Amino acid sequence: MSRGSFSELNEDVIANILLYLAPKDIISLRLTNKTAYLASKYRVVWYEALGNRTREEKILGFPYDRDAMSTADLESASVFPQALLCEPTGLTQPPKVPSLK
């Protein structure tokens, strides 16, 4: 019996796997191959990661509209939770945090 390889999975399958991972694990996994990298760019991956992170950190009443945030902002807010803890100042977007590049 032949076993499949992770690298044989398509982007959608990998994106679904990423929905269950912590942000640092998503970043680690996307370094493994191009398909994982492309799957990590799906908006839903970071939308869910931020939702999970705010629940884990017990941040109630997230002060920004996740629906209006860009994928890059969702990723940054998921990876850098200290940006979530800033006192809202009437902004509609989260404060800028360091780039992941």
Side-chain angles (χ1 to χ4, degrees), residues 5-82:
S5 169
F6 180 80
S7 62
E8 294 173 357
L9 298 174
N10 69 38
E11 268 180 52
D12 292 333
V13 171
I14 294 174
N16 278 299
I17 293 168
L18 296 178
L19 295 175
Y20 297 94
L21 300 181
K24 66 181 179 125
D25 297 325
I26 294 169
I27 291 170
S28 294
L29 188 60
R30 80 173 170 199
L31 298 174
T32 63
N33 66 45
K34 183 177 180 179
T35 307
Y37 174 81
L38 294 172
S40 76
K41 294 299 184 179
Y42 284 22
R43 178 179 171 71
V44 67
V45 169
W46 294 106
Y47 188 92
E48 290 299 319
L50 179 54
N52 293 338
R53 190 65 184 254
T54 57
R55 281 188 292 281
E56 288 171 7
E57 300 288 332
K58 295 181 177 44
I59 300 172
L60 303 174
F62 183 65
Y64 307 102
D65 181 6
R66 280 192 305 164
D67 294 329
M69 293 172 71
S70 71
T71 302
D73 286 339
L74 290 167
E75 180 176 347
S76 294
S78 298
V79 174
F80 299 103
Q82 65 272 24

